[in-house]
Amino acid sequence: MSHGSKQFSSKKRSETTQRLTVFRMNKNLTILIICALLELSYGYEVDFLNCAAEKELGDTCGKYCYRIVKPLLQHLSKVSAKNEDVESLVNKIDEQATIIKNMQLENARLESQNQLLASCKSKLAAKDELVEYKKADIKQLELDIIDCRSRAGVETSKLEEQLKIQSNSLDAKGLSCSRNSSDVQEADFSCVSSLGGPGWTVVQRRMNGKVDFNRNWNEYVQGFGQIQDEFFLGLEKLHLLTSSQPHELFIFMRNIANESTYAYYDYFLIADETESYKIKSLGTYTGSAGNMLSHHVGAKFSTIDRDNDNADQLHCASEWLSGWWFDKCYHCNLNGVYPDGLKWLKGNNEHQISFAQVMIKPKKK
Ligand SMILES: [Ca+2]
């Protein structure tokens, strides 16, 4: 309902109420006037207080006034009844107005709630939009991660390929050290293996079991094997090289699982024959294979025909079918029978060694 119509309705109701009040006053006044005329004209005594009671007035008037007054009184009675109906309607209108007012208040409350709901919906829509943005961001990040992983995989593959090529190249260089002669005793031992980096000289290699390493004393002193294959440089040469100037020692190994390990010592020195070519020094260890050779520092070299080991009841070289710097007997032995006899006892569950290469290099001053 509009503001104007509400004003109009209220005004109309007020006017109706006023008219009813005026009518009641006029009705009473009319009755009083009629009663006064009757008394003055015909000498009837009229009870003014009860004159308003139409029935009693009609009875009181008798035959003289009955025909004149009765219709008026009946009309007044009807009008009075109508007035009561109107009054009842006005009351109903008031009740309806109250109901309407309450409904308007309820409407206002609902409208307020609707506005609040609309506001919430708007905020929710904004949040939904934000969530969509975030989802897009997450999707982009996922794509970035996939891209990074892909790139990393490609780079790793490239590096692995390069390492493989370099490794093959280094192996080829190591095996090409023979130069003019394939025999250890005639070869130029200044040839370089770059497997451990530039300047390294290979002094022992195991790779296929083609060469027998269960040799006598003189053979170990002189050296044996094929320099492009399996060989041992010789104890005398080791002594001469390492005693001429400080040398580093680098031992590279690979197992049947194709896992590589190494042991590096920064000061390797072999004594002369009077001390049975014992290991006089190793220096400081670094590496991944474990510091096993350190257990053999001070140990003399033993062969099947020379028991220089520290095992009183045992001839280690005969027991393990190889020459080595046995103690009681070993923590490592790279001259044992290929492949089971090649040992580097770091742990109990190591894979079998399938490749070993021992190198030395003059120590930088
Ligand atoms: Ca012994």
Side-chain angles (χ1 to χ4, degrees), residues 302 306-317 326-327 329:
S302 294
R306 195 73 69 93
D307 183 357
N308 293 323
D309 62 46
N310 295 319
D312 293 338
Q313 306 300 320
L314 195 62
H315 182 186
C316 294
F326 287 111
D327 178 33
C329 287

Side-chain angles (χ1 to χ4, degrees), residues 19 50 62 64 79 137 165 197 205 216 226 309 319 345:
R19 276 204 290 271
N50 294 320
Y64 294 103
V79 170
D137 285 348
I165 291 166
R205 183 187 297 120
N216 63 32
Q226 303 300 311
D309 62 46
E319 184 70 20
L345 303 179

Side-chain angles (χ1 to χ4, degrees), residues 99-132:
I99 291 169
I100 288 167
K101 190 175 180 183
N102 288 337
M103 286 178 74
Q104 285 172 341
L105 288 172
E106 183 67 14
N107 275 341
R109 192 179 67 80
L110 287 173
E111 195 171 347
S112 170
Q113 285 190 344
N114 278 339
Q115 285 176 356
L116 188 64
L117 193 62
S119 171
C120 286
K121 279 182 179 174
S122 174
K123 285 179 182 173
L124 197 62
K127 294 278 183 191
D128 283 346
E129 196 175 3
L130 192 62
V131 167
E132 288 303 318

Side-chain angles (χ1 to χ4, degrees), residues 215-218 221 273-274 276-277 300-309 315-318 322-324 326:
R215 305 289 185 120
N216 63 32
W217 181 258
N218 285 334
V221 170
E273 190 164 13
T274 62
S276 301
Y277 302 107
K300 296 175 181 175
F301 204 87
S302 294
T303 55
I304 47 171
D305 57 343
R306 195 73 69 93
D307 183 357
N308 293 323
D309 62 46
H315 182 186
C316 294
S318 294
S322 72
W324 189 249
F326 287 111

Side-chain angles (χ1 to χ4, degrees), residues 327-347:
D327 178 33
K328 291 178 183 178
C329 287
Y330 63 83
H331 285 80
C332 60
N333 177 14
L334 297 178
N335 288 343
V337 179
Y338 189 95
D340 296 342
L342 272 66
K343 299 292 184 183
W344 197 274
L345 303 179
K346 185 183 178 183

